Amino acid sequence: MKSYGLLLLATSASAFQTTTVSAVRSAPLQMAAASEAAADAAITPNAAIKVAANGMSLLKPIFAAEASLQAAVLGGLAKVDPDEVKAAIEFEKKANGVLIYTYGLSPFSSEALSILDKSGYPYKNIELGAEWFLLGGEESQTRVELGKAGDFGTSLPKIFVGGECIGGCAELVNLVEEGKLDETMKKAKVSKKGAASNKPNFLSMF
């Protein structure tokens, strides 16, 4: 009877330990998921800007034609090398986890920058000019090259995460509202400003 009792006690202790370790392992994951959802929920995009940004997509063919003409004229006068412009963009994409190209006077650019600021993720902002009609030759060619990154047109802002274009203001707002901004950043291995470096988790050894 003593042996049987000890066996039951040992089995119960083992089951309790397994359950406890499983709970300890899953708790950080649940807390992290809740934290990400709360972080996205804390960002409130401007509703009016969102509607206007979505409406801009209807004008993509017109803007694309205008951008090409502007780049051909101004780029030709300034003797801009399209390959050099493309290489410069590729360099910035590789050098920065989050990269955004903007216009200084654009409400869509301002909204995107505001969202990124609130998100807590570091980013590099390259302002091409105050607005599209004030661009020089190199900036006009840059605009055309940026328009080739995905099906997002030539409008700015243009946002890259982990080297991949995620679109502009409208697409960034959608990521926030769907609670997928942190997920997108995590996949690109982009950490928030001031985030602690990854340290060994000794609990994983159990």
Side-chain angles (χ1 to χ4, degrees), residues 123-198:
Y123 64 88
K124 180 174 182 179
N125 173 29
I126 297 179
E127 185 178 310
L128 288 189
E131 261 296 352
W132 64 268
F133 51 84
L134 296 174
L135 299 180
E138 183 175 341
E139 292 78 14
S140 296
Q141 186 60 46
T142 299
R143 179 187 174 202
V144 169
E145 288 299 328
L146 291 173
K148 298 176 183 178
D151 187 28
F152 305 112
T154 55
S155 298
L156 298 189
K158 199 72 70 195
I159 308 165
F160 296 85
V161 176
E164 297 295 325
C165 185
I166 64 168
C169 183
E171 289 75 23
L172 181 61
V173 168
N174 288 339
L175 284 178
V176 171
E177 293 185 337
E178 294 171 5
K180 295 181 179 179
L181 180 58
D182 279 322
E183 179 185 339
T184 300
M185 295 294 187
K186 184 178 291 185
K187 286 182 179 178
K189 298 181 180 180
V190 178
S191 300
K192 291 194 175 187
K193 289 182 258 187
S197 58
N198 293 329

Side-chain angles (χ1 to χ4, degrees), residues 25-78:
R25 282 180 177 176
S26 61
L29 296 176
Q30 293 172 351
M31 290 176 65
S35 178
E36 289 178 5
D40 282 351
I43 304 172
T44 306
N46 185 305
I49 295 295
K50 174 191 173 183
V51 172
N54 285 325
M56 292 290 284
S57 63
L58 300 176
L59 302 175
K60 284 193 295 186
I62 297 175
F63 287 147
E66 176 276 319
S68 296
L69 178 60
Q70 182 177 355
V73 174
L74 298 181
L77 291 174

Side-chain angles (χ1 to χ4, degrees), residues 98-112:
V98 181
L99 174 67
I100 178 170
Y101 287 83
T102 62
Y103 293 136
L105 299 179
S106 164
F108 307 111
S109 293
S110 297
E111 176 67 5

Side-chain angles (χ1 to χ4, degrees), residues 3-27:
S3 301
Y4 181 70
L6 288 172
L7 179 61
L8 282 176
L9 196 59
T11 303
S12 300
S14 176
F16 176 76
Q17 183 181 20
T18 301
T19 303
T20 302
V21 172
S22 298
V24 170
R25 282 180 177 176
S26 61

